[in-house]
Amino acid sequence: MAPVATPFFFYLLSGIMLIGGILVITRKNPVHSALALIVTLLAQASIYLMLYAPFVAGVQIILYAGGIMVLFLFVIMLVSIDRSVRERQFNSQWVVGLIAATALGGLFIAVYTKGKDIFPEHAMPVVENDNTQKIATMLYGQYMFAFEIASLLLLVAIIGAVVMAKKKI
Amino acid sequence: MTDSNTLSHLDLETPEKPFLDANELVINMGPQHPATHGVLRVILRLDGEKVLGLECVIGYLHRGVEKIGEHRTYTMFNPYVDRMDYVAAVSNGLGYCETVEKLLNVEAPPRAQHVRVILTELNRIASHQLWLGTHALDIGAITPLFYTFRDREEILKIYEKYCGARLTTHAFRIGGLQYETYTGFEKEVKNFLTFFRPKIDEYEELLTTNRIWVERTKNVGTISAQDCIALGVTGPVLRASGVKWDLRKAQPYANYKNFDFDIPIGENGDTYDRYLVRMAEMRQSVRIIEQAVDALPEGPIIAKVPKVMKPAAGEVYHSIEAPKGELGYFIVSDGSTQPYRVRVRPPSFVNLQALDLMCRGQLVADVIAVIGTLDIVLGEVDR
Amino acid sequence: MGQIVAYIESYLGSDKTPGAAGNMFWVLVYIMLVFGGLSVAVIAMNWLERKILAHMQVRLGPMRVGPHGLLQPIADAIKLLLKEDIMPAEADGLIFWVAPFVVVLAAFTVFVVVPFGPTHAITDMNIGILFMLGVSSLSVLGIVMAGWASNSHYPLIGALRSSAQMVSYEVAMGLAVVSAVLMTSLNETGTGTLSMIGIVQAQMAQQEWFIFKFFPLGLIAFFIFAVAMVAETNRAPFDLAEAESELTAGFHTEYSGFRWSLFFLAEYSAMIAVSSIAVTLWLGGWLRPFPNLHGPSISIPHYWPPVDPTAPTGALDLVFSLFPGVTFLLFAAMCFFNTARMPKHPLFKIQTMGLAGFGVVLGLIGLALFVPPIRDRVEDIFWFSAKVAGFMYLYIWYRGTFPRYRFDQLMQMGWKVLLPMGLGVLILTASVALLQPMIWHP
C-alpha cells in the first residue's frame, strides 16, 4: 500500500514522542511519568511502522509497552510514592546539567552538519513484506552466537532475581 | 518475627504501620461479607498472603435466647430453639424435647420416636445440602448451589405438609409429636428417597474428581485428631480427622439403635475429607430413613405429659448428633414451671475455635474455604 | 462526483482487503460493520450468558424484560447509563478517566486484522498475529491504571493480580501461537506468514486444519492456547481477581455506571478477539468443514450460478452452503415455537407479538441467505462466526461448571505446566516439520 501523508504523520508522531519525553521527566507523580513513557514508546512503534519495519514495531508494542512498562508500573505502585511526590523536581546541580546538555546538543548539531551528505535524500523504497523474514534469517544465521549469548544472559538475570527475592530456597 | 505456633494476642493498639510493610498486615473480614455465612467478623493477621493467625469476633446475632429461656415455660420455649441453628431447626427441637423429657422422666412412644428419626434425618440431608451449595459457591463453583437448593425443596415440602413451616418447623413437642403424620407421608418420603439417591451422585460428579476442586480442598485447613479432641470439635469435622465418634452410635437416643448404618470417617482432616464425609453421611441418612419408613409402628404419638410441667428440681445434660456436631442442652430446673437455666452447647460455637488453628499457614483465599467447611451457622454461635 | 463513485467501485471485485487495496471508503465501511457487529455480539453475549448459565443451573434466567428476556441487555445498558457516576475522593482524576478507554481501545483495535473471509477484513497486516497479541497486551496497562486510580488498596491488589495473571499467560499463549505459525511454513518456499489471512490460506493449501496437523501436536498447542486465553481474559475458572467472595474485590470496584460498562464491553470484546485468534490459527478460520472435499460433482442448476465459475462445485459444496440459511430458519422456528408456548394472558400480548416479530425477522434473514449472491458473500462470515460462537459457549460452560483456582495455583499452572508444555510442543513441531522432506525444501 502506498504511503499516505508521510510528513504529516512523521511530525505528528515525533511531536508526540517529544511531548511524552518531556512529560516523563517533568511530572512529579512517577505513575504519570511511566504512562507518558508508554505514550512515547507507542509513538516510537508507529515510527518504526513508517520505516517499513512492522516486525520491530510489533515487538516494541508487545515487549516494551506491554511487558517492561507493566513491570515498571508494578514496582512504582508497590513502593510508597508519598515521598517522591513531595521531592523537589529540579535539584541544585542545574548549572552543570545545563552546560552538559548544551555541549551534547552542540555535538549532535556538529555531527549532523558535517555528515549531512551520508544521509539519503529520500527514504529508500523498501519492500515491507519480508521484514520478518529478513530479521529471522539474520538473527538465526549470521548473528546466531550473539542471540544465544543474549538468551543466556537473560536466563542468568532471571535466576538471579529469583534467588534474591525468595525467602528460602 | 513471632513464632507462628504461639497463640499471641493480636496487637491492635499500636499506631497504623505503613501499608504493605513487608512484615505484617491486619485485615478485617466482615461482618458484612458474602462468604462468612452470616455476621461473623474475622480479623486476619497476614504476612503477605499467608495467614499468621486470626481472631473471630462474634455476637452480632446474639438475641439472648438462653436468658429468654429463664422466663418461659418449657413448652413456650420450644419454638425458640428452632431459631438458633435455623438451617437444621428440627434437630434443635429434637435435642430440647429429649432433654426436657429426660428431666420429666417420660419417654416418647415408639411411633413418635420413629417419625422423629425420619424428620431429623431428612433435616440432616437438608442441612448438608445447604452446606454443599454454599461451600461450593465460596470456592467458585456456582452451579451446585442451584442443584442442592432445588432438591432441598422436596424436603421442605414434606415439612410444610407435616407441620406447616419450612424453616423453623417446631415439629416436636415434649413427650412426642403434636401432629399425626399426614396421609401419604410414607409414600412421599419414599418418593423423595428414590428421587434423591441419584442426586448425590450428581453432586459428586460435579465436584469429587474435578481437579480444580481437589486442588482447592486437599491439604487445606488440616486439623489433626488430637487437636480436634483438645478443642472439643465434634461432628463431621471430628470424623474427617479420623475419630470414629458419632453420638447416634456412642450414646444412642431416639431409637437409633434399631437402625443399621455406618459412620463415615476420613483420614487427613482436610477440607476434601470433610466434603467426602458429609456426602457419605447423606447416603447413610438415606439408608436410615429407608429403614425407618418401612418399619413405622402404630400407636400413640404423644406420651402422658402433665399440662403444666413442673419437673423436679435437678439438672440434666443431654446431647444429640446434630448435622453440625454435638448439640447439647443443659437444663437446670428449680421445681417451677420455668427453667432456672437453659444452656445450649452449640456445635458451631465450639467448632469455630478451631478456625485459628486450621488457618495457620494457609493463604487468604483458603480462609474462606475453611469457614465454609466448618459449616457454621451464626444463629447458633451467637444464640 | 463521478470520480467518487469510480473510487468506490474500483474496490469491488478485488481480491484484497480494503486496507491492503488502499481504498479508504471501503475501509471506513468495514470499520463501521465490524464495530456494529461487535457491539451486537457483545449485547447478544450478555443475554446468552445469562440464559445459558441459568439453564445450566436449572432456572430460567431473564424472562420478563421482553419475550424470554431478549430486551434484558438493553435494559441493563439503559440502567448503567442512568447510574450516578462516582469518582473516589482521592482518586487520580485523569488516570481514573482514561483507564476504561485504554482497555476498550485495546480490545477493539484488535479487530482491525480479524479475518472473517479472504477479503472480509479491515486490513491484512503482514504481522497480523503479532499485532493482535501486542495490542491485547496493552489492555493490561489499562487494568493496572484502573486499579491504581481507585486509590484504595483492595482494587490495587486486585489489579496487580489480574495483570500478573494476564502477563504470565501471555507467554504460554505466545508459544502456542508460534507452534501454529510454524506450521504455515510447510510449503514450497519454506517461508511462513504472520498474516491472519495467510495463515488460513496456508491451512487451505495444506488441506488440513492445524488442530489436526501432526496429531497430537496441533491439538496440544490448541489446548494450551484454549486454556491460556481463558486466563488471559480473566474468566472462570481464572477469575479470582474479580470474584465476589474473595477478599480483594477486583480492579473495577470503584467504577460505576457507564465506566463499568466500558470494562464489561472490553472484557467481552477481548473474549471474542482471542477466540478469533484460536479459530483462525487452529480451526481453519472461515473455511467450512472439509474445505477441500467437494463430493460427487453435480451440475447445480443454473438458477444458482456460483460467484467464481472456475471453482469446482460438488454435492458437499451445495450441502454446506445451505447451512447459514438453515441455521437462521431454525432460530426462527424456535422463536415461533416459543411464541406458541407463551401464556395466553392479555398482559403477554405485546411480548408474544414481539417474539413472533423477531422470529419473522430471523426467518427473512434465513431466506435471504439462500439467495446465491448473498449466500456466497456471507458464507465465510457465517462459518467464522459459528466457530467463535462455539468458543463463547465454552466460556459460559466453564463459568457454570468449574470452581475457581486460587491465585498461587493459577500462577503455578501458567508457569510450571503450560510454559513447559508449550516449549515441548514447539520443539516437537519444529522437529516433525523438519522430518517431512517432501514438503520442506532447504
Side-chain angles (χ1 to χ4, degrees):
Chain A
M1 174 177 162
V4 172
T6 315
F8 166 71
F9 278 117
F10 176 71
Y11 285 124
L12 177 70
L13 291 168
S14 329
I16 293 178
M17 272 180 82
L18 283 173
I19 295 176
I22 294 176
L23 282 177
V24 171
I25 53 178
T26 52
R27 289 282 102 200
K28 274 195 276 219
N29 191 334
V31 176
H32 290 180
S33 302
L35 293 174
L37 187 56
I38 291 173
V39 170
T40 311
L41 292 171
L42 289 176
Q44 187 180 15
S46 314
I47 292 193
Y48 284 148
L49 273 178
M50 290 183 65
L51 289 172
Y52 299 100
F55 184 75
V56 185
V59 168
Q60 166 99 346
I61 295 181
I62 295 182
L63 293 183
Y64 230 126
I68 295 180
M69 289 315 297
V70 169
L71 293 177
F72 269 42
L73 279 172
F74 274 26
V75 173
I76 293 176
M77 287 174 184
L78 285 176
V79 168
S80 167
I81 66 162
D82 296 323
R83 241 187 28 221
S84 59
V85 172
R86 284 186 236 114
E87 255 180 22
R88 282 175 41 113
Q89 278 305 105
F90 300 102
N91 61 17
S92 47
Q93 296 167 317
W94 61 278
V95 175
V96 179
L98 196 58
I99 296 176
T102 321
L104 198 61
L107 200 63
F108 281 149
I109 294 174
V111 165
Y112 175 66
T113 44
K114 289 282 166 52
K116 213 171 14 178
D117 303 321
I118 57 172
F119 292 127
E121 285 230 339
H122 307 281
M124 296 292 194
V126 176
V127 181
E128 75 176 84
N129 282 339
D130 53 356
N131 178 243
T132 317
Q133 281 89 321
K134 284 219 177 87
I135 292 183
T137 349
M138 301 216 100
L139 200 61
Y140 291 108
Q142 199 174 349
Y143 297 105
M144 183 65 174
F145 185 63
F147 180 70
E148 294 295 332
I149 294 282
S151 57
L152 201 61
L153 195 63
L154 284 172
L155 183 66
V156 169
I158 292 175
I159 296 179
V162 170
V163 165
M164 284 203 290
K166 267 181 88 68
K167 286 188 182 139
K168 58 183 198 300
I169 305 290
Chain B
M1 201 57 177
T2 55
D3 181 12
S4 60
N5 280 328
T6 59
L7 208 65
S8 58
H9 177 66
L10 285 175
D11 185 10
L12 301 168
E13 260 78 307
T14 47
E16 186 131 328
K17 292 188 273 198
F19 168 60
L20 288 181
D21 188 47
N23 283 341
E24 259 179 37
L25 186 62
V26 173
I27 282 192
N28 175 56
M29 209 173 109
Q32 286 163 319
H33 194 275
T36 51
H37 293 269
V39 279
L40 173 68
R41 181 173 170 214
V42 178
I43 304 180
L44 295 161
R45 201 162 45 102
L46 304 175
D47 168 21
E49 182 89 1
K50 230 163 56 127
V51 174
L52 295 174
L54 60 80
E55 183 178 313
C56 295
V57 179
I58 57 174
Y60 291 92
L61 198 48
H62 179 70
R63 296 156 288 178
V65 168
E66 294 177 352
K67 182 69 184 171
I68 290 177
E70 297 172 12
H71 300 282
R72 300 282 182 278
T73 62
Y74 292 88
T75 337
M76 281 164 72
F77 188 61
N78 207 345
Y80 282 87
V81 297
D82 292 338
R83 274 97 176 135
M84 287 192 307
D85 178 4
Y86 35 78
V87 172
V90 175
S91 304
N92 294 19
L94 179 68
Y96 176 71
C97 290
E98 290 210 335
T99 315
V100 179
E101 284 164 15
K102 226 170 168 177
L103 202 55
L104 287 173
N105 230 342
V106 300
E107 201 180 308
R111 182 176 172 81
Q113 294 203 346
H114 250 89
V115 176
R116 277 181 174 180
V117 164
I118 295 175
L119 292 176
T120 311
E121 290 303 316
L122 280 175
N123 201 238
R124 191 180 307 271
I125 297 177
S127 170
H128 283 337
Q129 279 181 320
L130 188 132
W131 162 81
L132 181 62
T134 49
H135 186 220
L137 186 66
D138 288 338
I139 295 194
I142 53 184
T143 313
L145 178 76
F146 294 93
Y147 293 173
T148 56
F149 269 65
R150 169 201 61 186
D151 303 328
R152 200 165 164 261
E153 279 302 303
E154 307 300 319
I155 301 181
L156 298 180
K157 279 183 196 158
I158 295 178
Y159 285 155
E160 195 181 8
K161 282 196 185 162
Y162 176 70
C163 57
R166 288 156 50 104
L167 189 69
T168 51
T169 44
H170 192 205
F172 307 142
R173 301 291 180 274
I174 298 171
L177 311 165
Q178 173 165 8
Y179 303 112
E180 181 59 75
T181 57
Y182 58 93
T183 43
F185 176 74
E186 289 99 326
K187 192 149 103 45
E188 283 208 5
V189 172
K190 281 209 182 96
N191 283 346
F192 169 73
L193 293 177
T194 24
F195 160 80
F196 183 63
R197 243 188 237 102
K199 300 294 180 194
I200 311 184
D201 300 323
E202 195 182 47
Y203 308 151
E204 292 230 12
E205 201 178 316
L206 266 181
L207 295 172
T208 308
T209 46
N210 186 330
R211 62 176 298 149
I212 304 180
W213 179 261
V214 170
E215 275 191 47
R216 277 304 290 270
T217 54
K218 255 212 189 306
N219 298 325
V220 165
T222 322
I223 186 167
S224 66
Q226 297 98 298
D227 286 329
C228 275
I229 298 176
L231 287 168
V233 167
T234 53
V237 184
L238 178 67
R239 289 195 276 283
S241 298
V243 180
K244 201 166 181 136
W245 175 257
D246 187 328
L247 285 176
R248 294 175 289 174
K249 287 252 198 237
Q251 300 166 357
Y253 54 94
N255 82 353
Y256 270 103
K257 8 180 205 318
N258 300 348
F259 301 118
D260 178 36
F261 59 99
D262 298 323
I263 311 289
I265 57 170
E267 283 170 9
N268 306 327
D270 58 9
T271 306
Y272 189 63
D273 280 346
R274 286 189 278 273
Y275 159 76
L276 290 175
V277 161
R278 287 192 177 103
M279 300 302 281
E281 277 189 8
M282 281 203 269
R283 290 204 164 89
Q284 296 303 317
S285 292
V286 167
R287 234 172 116 185
I288 298 176
I289 302 176
E290 228 176 6
Q291 295 167 46
V293 134
D294 283 333
L296 208 55
E298 299 298 326
I301 52 169
I302 191 160
K304 276 245 171 317
V305 177
K307 229 185 173 78
V308 173
M309 291 185 212
K310 275 197 186 172
E315 57 193 39
V316 74
Y317 174 78
H318 178 67
S319 56
I320 63 163
E321 184 76 24
K324 302 183 165 54
E326 171 177 340
L327 172 64
Y329 288 85
F330 176 68
I331 302 186
V332 178
S333 157
D334 57 357
S336 66
T337 49
Q338 299 178 343
Y340 180 70
R341 171 85 170 105
V342 178
R343 161 81 171 116
V344 182
R345 182 228 184 262
S348 306
F349 180 75
V350 183
N351 290 1
L352 199 54
Q353 295 175 90
L355 190 64
D356 185 29
L357 202 58
M358 287 159 88
C359 288
R360 292 274 176 81
Q362 308 281 335
L363 301 178
V364 173
D366 292 327
V367 170
I368 292 162
V370 174
I371 294 179
T373 187
L374 276 180
D375 196 10
I376 53 173
V377 171
L378 266 300
E380 76 177 354
V381 171
D382 290 339
R383 279 156 282 137
Chain C
M1 184 63 200
Q3 239 185 342
I4 298 180
V5 174
Y7 182 64
I8 293 176
E9 280 186 351
S10 67
Y11 169 70
L12 295 171
S14 150
D15 65 342
K16 293 202 281 195
T17 59
N23 196 312
M24 280 300 125
F25 172 77
W26 284 102
V27 166
L28 285 172
V29 168
Y30 273 57
I31 289 180
M32 297 287 179
L33 284 173
V34 168
F35 188 72
L38 195 57
S39 308
V40 168
V42 169
I43 288 180
M45 259 300 283
N46 188 11
W47 180 79
L48 278 172
E49 168 153 38
R50 291 179 70 163
K51 273 303 213 185
I52 295 177
L53 206 57
H55 282 263
M56 286 179 184
Q57 292 167 348
V58 205
R59 50 187 184 95
L60 287 173
M63 292 287 282
R64 294 182 152 263
V65 186
H68 286 269
L70 281 168
L71 296 178
Q72 182 73 44
I74 301 179
D76 283 339
I78 296 178
K79 175 204 81 168
L80 284 169
L81 288 172
L82 293 176
K83 266 196 175 181
E84 177 191 350
D85 193 22
I86 303 176
M87 190 184 288
E90 306 282 323
D92 203 327
L94 183 66
I95 303 184
F96 190 81
W97 186 85
V98 162
F101 288 113
V102 167
V103 185
V104 169
L105 212 65
F108 273 68
T109 312
V110 162
F111 282 90
V112 160
V113 283
V114 165
F116 295 93
T119 59
H120 302 116
I122 297 178
T123 183
D124 182 34
M125 294 185 169
N126 60 346
I127 49 153
I129 187 73
L130 201 65
F131 175 78
M132 284 191 85
L133 287 180
V135 172
S136 61
S137 72
L138 286 179
S139 60
V140 177
L141 284 169
I143 291 178
V144 173
M145 281 160 64
W148 168 258
S150 303
N151 197 45
S152 147
H153 52 253
Y154 287 151
L156 182 61
I157 296 180
L160 292 177
R161 277 200 196 168
S162 271
S163 47
Q165 171 189 329
M166 289 168 82
V167 163
S168 318
Y169 280 87
E170 263 169 23
V171 181
M173 261 171 81
L175 283 176
V177 164
V178 170
S179 303
V181 167
L182 207 63
M183 295 178 192
T184 61
S185 64
L186 302 168
N187 51 20
E188 300 88 36
T189 56
T191 41
T193 169
L194 285 172
S195 128
M196 300 284 273
I197 294 185
I199 293 177
V200 179
Q201 283 169 339
Q203 292 183 60
M204 190 148 75
Q206 295 177 28
Q207 305 191 7
E208 202 175 7
W209 286 1
F210 284 163
I211 188 178
F212 301 120
K213 197 134 187 92
F214 301 150
F215 194 82
L217 292 176
L219 191 61
I220 298 181
F222 172 70
F223 170 75
I224 295 174
F225 189 85
V227 172
M229 81 180 185
V230 178
E232 180 77 14
T233 45
N234 273 331
R235 287 278 294 191
F238 304 104
D239 61 349
L240 192 87
E242 48 183 52
E244 291 157 356
S245 62
E246 306 294 336
L247 210 52
T248 55
F251 58 88
H252 49 61
T253 318
E254 301 288 340
Y255 285 85
S256 65
F258 184 61
R259 294 186 210 278
W260 182 85
S261 68
L262 285 177
F263 276 117
F264 170 83
L265 184 69
E267 174 173 324
Y268 280 118
S269 303
M271 277 163 64
I272 300 179
V274 286
S275 308
S276 309
I277 300 181
V279 164
T280 310
L281 255 56
W282 282 278
L283 292 180
W286 66 78
L287 301 173
R288 64 168 172 82
F290 308 110
N292 294 98
L293 285 182
H294 293 285
S297 174
I298 61 171
S299 64
I300 302 177
H302 70 267
Y303 54 81
W304 269 345
V307 166
D308 180 9
T310 57
T313 54
L316 272 182
D317 281 322
L318 185 60
V319 167
F320 277 115
S321 66
L322 297 176
F323 268 68
V326 167
T327 315
F328 272 88
L329 285 182
L330 257 172
F331 290 154
M334 270 165 46
C335 281
F336 290 132
F337 180 63
N338 281 312
T339 318
R341 286 174 60 200
M342 278 264 192
K344 310 274 184 295
H345 193 269
L347 280 177
F348 281 92
K349 209 154 67 131
I350 300 184
Q351 279 201 5
T352 321
M353 288 193 325
L355 192 57
F358 189 61
V360 165
V361 166
L362 286 177
L364 286 176
I365 297 179
L367 287 175
L369 285 176
F370 282 125
V371 174
I374 302 181
R375 175 193 77 209
D376 294 325
R377 278 167 186 71
V378 171
E379 208 178 5
D380 299 323
I381 304 179
F382 169 79
W383 285 112
F384 187 84
S385 311
K387 293 174 197 174
V388 171
F391 272 97
M392 294 293 113
Y393 182 76
L394 278 180
Y395 264 109
I396 301 174
W397 198 356
Y398 295 157
R399 184 165 176 214
T401 319
F402 292 134
R404 225 171 270 131
Y405 265 114
R406 207 172 58 204
F407 191 67
D408 64 315
Q409 292 167 341
L410 205 156
M411 297 298 274
Q412 196 173 313
M413 226 185 61
W415 290 105
K416 289 195 197 169
V417 174
L418 287 186
L419 182 60
M421 230 157 67
L423 281 173
V425 163
L426 181 59
I427 295 176
L428 284 173
T429 312
S431 328
V432 173
L434 275 178
L435 295 172
Q436 294 219 359
M438 46 269 223
I439 301 176
W440 184 77
H441 294 277

